[in-house]
Amino acid sequence: MVLPDVANEMLTRRPATRPVIVPADDRGIGRAARLLADGEIAALPTETVYGLAADATNGEAVARIFAAKARPRFNPLICHVDGLEMARGFAKFSPLAERLAETFWPGPLTLVVPLAEGAAIHPLVTAGLDTVAVRMPRGVARDVISALGRPIAAPSANRSGKISPTTARAVLDSLGDAVPMILDAGPARVGVESTIIDLSGQAPVCLRPGGVAVTEIERAIGQPVARAGADAAISAPGMLRSHYAPGLPVRLNATDVRPGEALLAFGPDGIAGADNAAAIANLSPAGDLTEAAANLFAMLDQLDRSGATAIAVMPIPSEGLGEAINDRLARAAAPREAS
Ligand code: AMP
Ligand code: MG
């Protein structure tokens, strides 16, 4: 059920205001794809729930997802593809993964598989992990991906902590003007999230039950699937306090750089001792938090390999995306946990 009244209202009465609700016909699909190609975000219908999408290869676009949802953490996002061929372009598919994809795609099954070497997926999508969660949706979302020609990252299109939206109206109510466009294809068919199966270890593990029954998956592959705890996907890799810790010690809110340290800077200001820093990377010389979020994982990694003794991090404001950036940095600085 398309909502022409809402669309008309949005288009005619408030032409300059975000968001615009657009029917998911060919024109709407083309429009959404162009918006995504320009590095913007858009809410798209999938068969599970409405997703908030961005080009998965564009870090600033992906950062906008976290900003719009007001997510306090950079947890990894699911990469949506238009088929197995696109997925093979950035992820490694074992024979088991191929079999599951062939059996259940398009559909509500997400596979966690190893990221390919040099994959174009931005590290903000995987939260810096060496695995990636991949799914091929049915219908409109798939058409948008094909039109874009690149994978899209998309969590549910709701404010962080709120329930997942199954209609365009629910997206509007939740995200308001944080999203420029909502593609409307009526109520989502499945209405629950995708089942997530982790295939990156020795044996398949269900991280989250969802739209495809685990028993169906077991039948398809002829082997049992272990169930992680009910909150496993939520407490997945990213949630462990020191999981993403760089090898080097991290010193937060630094007001100077000590001998031997590398500097992770933010903003235009200098800092004492910077001239002698072992290496310097600036998350955003202009002080832009979206740019900083997009650079965070790659720059931490770069400084970690710089040969410095530690990484000094300048203070980062905590508003907007700063909260998630500081959460990530706090994890990096946390005492190491045994693994
Ligand atoms: P959502 O953002 O609500 O669609 O949820 C995505 C889920 O996929 C989260 O629970 C993530 O923890 C999980 N996820 C995404 N990527 C990975 C990954 N590489 N490894 C494990 N879990 C992942
Ligand atoms: Mg969600």
Side-chain angles (χ1 to χ4, degrees), residues 2-338:
V2 174
L3 299 173
D5 292 342
V6 178
N8 284 339
E9 198 179 305
M10 300 308 298
L11 287 167
T12 54
R13 271 210 270 149
R14 300 162 58 200
T17 344
R18 296 163 30 131
V20 178
I21 296 185
V22 177
D25 54 17
D26 287 351
R27 274 187 60 201
I29 287 166
R31 217 168 135 182
R34 280 194 299 280
L35 204 59
L36 294 174
D38 285 344
E40 257 297 349
I41 53 175
L44 307 179
T46 82
E47 74 273 48
T48 58
V49 299
Y50 274 66
L52 187 58
D55 175 350
T57 66
N58 180 334
E60 293 202 21
V62 176
R64 287 196 182 96
I65 293 177
F66 289 91
K69 285 179 66 84
R71 259 202 189 176
R73 285 199 183 112
F74 292 128
N75 44 351
L77 305 177
I78 296 172
C79 251
H80 295 70
V81 295
D82 68 354
L84 197 46
E85 200 188 318
M86 183 183 276
R88 284 198 204 100
F90 61 85
K92 292 183 202 150
F93 276 70
S94 66
L96 188 62
E98 298 257 346
R99 178 125 49 94
L100 280 173
E102 273 157 15
T103 310
F104 294 102
W105 286 2
L109 176 66
T110 297
L111 303 173
V112 174
V113 292
L115 199 58
E117 286 298 312
I121 300 298
H122 193 274
L124 209 47
V125 174
T126 58
L129 298 170
D130 55 8
T131 56
V132 60
V134 196
R135 172 171 110 79
M136 174 187 179
R138 205 184 286 279
V140 171
R142 178 192 180 182
D143 294 341
V144 173
I145 298 163
S146 291
L148 178 67
R150 286 197 287 274
I152 59 173
S156 53
N158 51 276
R159 287 232 151 211
S160 183
K162 300 290 188 288
I163 58 162
S164 299
T166 56
T167 63
R169 185 80 223 184
V171 176
L172 181 64
D173 289 345
S174 192
L175 291 180
D177 61 6
V179 58
M181 173 179 173
I182 304 170
L183 204 55
D184 185 0
R189 203 173 52 83
V190 178
V192 295
E193 273 102 347
S194 59
T195 304
I196 304 179
I197 303 291
D198 185 354
L199 298 173
S200 66
Q202 298 281 40
V205 178
C206 175
L207 297 180
R208 176 177 81 184
V212 175
V214 177
T215 47
E216 247 186 280
I217 294 167
E218 289 174 323
R219 202 169 328 126
I221 58 177
Q223 62 170 287
V225 173
R227 269 74 160 177
D231 59 348
I234 299 151
S235 65
M239 303 299 101
L240 296 176
R241 267 212 314 153
S242 66
H243 184 83
Y244 302 135
L248 295 179
V250 173
R251 191 165 66 84
L252 301 178
N253 297 315
T255 51
D256 62 351
V257 184
R258 296 174 189 162
E261 282 185 335
L263 172 65
L264 186 62
F266 175 81
D269 297 335
I271 173 175
D275 289 348
N276 296 318
I280 299 181
N282 194 322
L283 290 169
S284 172
D288 178 283
L289 288 166
T290 305
E291 184 184 20
N295 284 331
L296 181 62
F297 289 95
M299 287 187 176
L300 268 179
D301 189 52
Q302 175 197 331
L303 296 183
D304 202 30
R305 297 163 193 265
S306 67
T309 54
I311 301 172
V313 183
M314 279 170 69
I316 311 232
S318 255
E319 80 255 12
L321 275 174
E323 187 182 357
I325 294 172
N326 282 318
D327 171 79
R328 172 67 184 81
L329 288 169
R331 283 164 207 281
R336 305 296 188 259
E337 283 162 16

